[in-house]
Amino acid sequence: MNNNENNSRESIHPGSWIPSMYFAMGLPFVVIAQASALMYKNLGVSDTQIALWTSLIMLPWTLKPLWSPLLEMFRTQKYFVIATQLFTGITFVLVAFTLPLDNFFQYSIALLGLVALSGATHDIAADGVYINVLSSEEQAKYIGWQGAAYNIAKIVSGGAFVYVAGELEKTIGVISAWSMVMSAYGICMLVMGIYHIKFLPKGKANTNVKSLKEGLTVLVDVIKTFFSKKYVIWYVVFIMLYRFAEGFAIKIAPLFFKASTEQGGLGLDTSEIGVIYGTFGAGAFVIGSLLGGYYISSKGLKQSLFRLALVFNIPFAVYTLLAMFQPDQLWVISLAVVFEYFGYGFGFVALILFMMQQIAPGKYRTAHYAFATGIMNLGFMLPSMMSGVLSDWLGYEKFFIWVLIATVPSLLVAKYVPFNNSLAK
């Protein structure tokens, strides 16, 4: 670690930048993965199109390792974090302007594709700051903070902002409501970018690569060294399958909540969905993430991984029960979401720490972590793309039964995945 990094660690407390940086990382991902699905649903787009296109444009989060070495050519990791936050903010505002147009879906989905590209680049640089500025002990200490902040973005995006959109829909109409909400997403990202100009440590100075040719050479070496790691095939399978069931559920759950009871849904309005996710789900998730981080710190990742995988996957059963019984009491639905989101927060931190401590260590820590998260997102994206077709074919009840079946591979790989370094306890 160089002097600049040491100075950054001494002068800027992690608590002043980890939550804000990972909130800014999570927000664009969640807008595309979840909130945009409700927006397009209310704008009359079919479930099949929503699931396909909002999943397809997430491809940059899978492919981001391909350009991660090119970020080594100039500037610092802090520079890329701030630049992408500002670009994402501006692009969200542009999305808002496309919604009143006749071909709004084509224009808005293209702009959200640019948001995905910017967001994926942001992830590379942000994870680089986290990995290079913090020690291994600090990484474990703050992993709960990271997970909580990232997923608070999920709750704010899919909860608070969706609630606002639902209330605005009643007074100014769907198009104007979502235009305002998309603009609000943009303002959030712009504020984060301005804040981090002062409060984000520099991370690693990118001075090793001087040309495109060198960048491509580094990329080849990154790929070669990644796939030469011990147990790498096991690890690729593990990180692809850990979120497999979630990939199916995340797109369809809000659409299921919104669909009428005649269609097998719960018949909630947009505001009610926002309240459930933004109020009850928010608290459950934050508590789950923080407790999950402290649980790993006390028990060790190796000893706790399978238990965390169980806690992560079992709560998806609530959607099956909701689809079977279709309760109309808001408190019952809210309690189910609380259970699911607590488990999601508690179990998700295990995957993040596994990638940081079992896959990233070595010559290319940042790039290898980017590779791991890219593979993770591929495992999430593929079932997301298929979820709309499957839910239309099976109906919501049978679809969520399928989600339960999809948890089995995740549990198997969590049970038997090997550990290969001294950090395993």
Side-chain angles (χ1 to χ4, degrees):
M1 184 175 290
N2 61 36
N3 290 333
N4 285 338
E5 292 169 13
N6 282 323
N7 290 337
S8 295
R9 288 180 58 187
E10 292 171 3
S11 61
I12 304 178
H13 189 276
S16 66
W17 56 270
I18 290 174
S20 56
M21 185 176 72
Y22 279 92
F23 178 90
M25 180 189 288
L27 190 141
F29 183 89
V30 174
V31 171
I32 295 173
Q34 192 172 40
S36 66
L38 271 175
M39 178 183 76
Y40 287 130
K41 178 81 169 180
N42 292 349
L43 290 169
V45 181
S46 70
D47 286 9
T48 298
Q49 274 195 304
I50 292 170
L52 175 62
W53 285 102
T54 60
S55 298
L56 189 60
I57 62 172
M58 295 173 71
L59 191 60
W61 276 288
T62 296
L63 299 180
K64 64 183 179 181
L66 299 181
W67 63 85
S68 61
L70 302 182
L71 300 188
E72 302 279 345
M73 291 177 62
F74 60 93
R75 302 287 186 170
T76 63
Q77 292 162 340
K78 175 179 179 176
Y79 171 85
F80 286 106
V81 168
I82 294 170
T84 52
Q85 287 173 358
L86 297 177
F87 178 84
T88 297
I90 293 169
T91 309
F92 271 134
V93 174
L94 293 177
V95 171
F97 285 107
T98 68
L99 297 183
L101 303 178
D102 289 338
N103 295 320
F104 73 91
F105 185 70
Q106 293 92 320
Y107 296 133
S108 61
I109 207 74
L111 286 169
L112 289 176
L114 291 178
V115 168
L117 182 62
S118 176
T121 304
H122 173 275
D123 289 8
I124 298 168
D127 287 330
V129 174
Y130 189 91
I131 291 172
N132 288 294
V133 170
L134 302 180
S135 66
S136 295
E137 292 77 14
E138 289 172 321
Q139 289 173 18
K141 179 180 179 181
Y142 290 104
I143 193 68
W145 291 42
Q146 181 206 104
Y150 182 93
N151 286 284
I152 284 174
K154 178 176 182 178
I155 306 305
V156 170
S157 172
F161 280 115
V162 168
Y163 172 79
V164 171
E167 291 300 299
L168 291 174
E169 286 176 359
K170 300 170 184 176
T171 56
I172 62 176
V174 175
I175 294 174
S176 296
W178 282 99
S179 294
M180 292 185 66
V181 168
M182 282 292 158
S183 297
Y185 289 138
I187 292 169
C188 281
M189 292 302 298
L190 291 172
V191 169
M192 290 294 100
I194 294 169
Y195 174 83
H196 288 136
I197 291 173
K198 179 176 181 180
F199 289 100
L200 189 69
K202 291 182 179 180
K204 181 182 177 182
N206 295 327
T207 58
N208 295 329
V209 179
K210 305 298 184 182
S211 67
L212 179 61
K213 181 178 179 181
E214 287 185 30
L216 293 175
T217 300
V218 170
L219 174 59
V220 171
D221 196 38
V222 166
I223 296 172
K224 181 180 178 181
T225 53
F226 181 87
F227 285 101
S228 65
K229 289 177 181 283
K230 189 177 182 182
Y231 304 131
V232 67
I233 300 302
W234 256 110
Y235 292 169
V236 167
V237 172
F238 171 75
I239 59 182
M240 282 195 69
L241 292 180
Y242 195 87
R243 300 179 69 189
F244 187 62
E246 179 204 354
F248 285 107
I250 194 169
K251 295 286 185 187
I252 303 304
L255 304 181
F256 160 64
F257 283 8
K258 180 71 177 177
S260 67
T261 54
E262 292 78 13
Q263 295 172 320
L266 298 183
L268 302 181
D269 64 32
T270 305
S271 298
E272 288 173 325
I273 296 172
V275 168
I276 290 171
Y277 281 116
T279 303
F280 306 112
F285 188 89
V286 172
I287 293 171
S289 294
L290 293 174
L291 291 180
Y294 287 118
Y295 182 79
I296 293 174
S297 294
S298 64
K299 299 294 184 180
L301 181 60
K302 185 175 182 179
Q303 297 299 320
S304 59
L305 182 60
F306 181 67
R307 299 169 204 162
L308 288 158
L310 284 170
V311 175
F312 182 80
N313 282 282
I314 288 175
F316 289 125
V318 300
Y319 294 119
T320 306
L321 295 174
L322 290 175
M324 290 173 63
F325 297 103
Q326 293 183 279
D328 56 8
Q329 301 97 330
L330 201 60
W331 71 268
V332 174
I333 301 170
S334 299
L335 187 62
V337 171
V338 165
F339 182 66
E340 194 265 312
Y341 266 62
F342 177 86
Y344 183 93
F346 198 92
F348 186 78
V349 294
L351 178 60
I352 299 300
L353 194 61
F354 184 92
M355 292 187 294
M356 285 185 175
Q357 296 191 346
Q358 293 296 305
I359 299 176
K363 182 179 179 181
Y364 301 108
R365 296 176 69 189
T366 301
H368 284 173
Y369 184 74
F371 250 91
T373 57
I375 294 169
M376 174 191 71
N377 285 312
L378 178 62
F380 172 88
M381 185 188 76
L382 292 177
S384 293
M385 291 176 65
M386 297 184 290
S387 61
V389 174
L390 279 176
S391 67
D392 285 345
W393 176 47
L394 296 173
Y396 290 121
E397 182 178 338
K398 291 180 180 177
F399 172 79
F400 287 118
I401 291 173
W402 162 251
V403 170
L404 290 182
I405 296 171
T407 66
V408 174
S410 171
L411 297 175
L412 288 175
V413 293
K415 178 69 173 177
Y416 296 108
V417 66
F419 281 64
N420 71 359
N421 62 45
S422 59
L423 292 172
K425 296 181 182 180

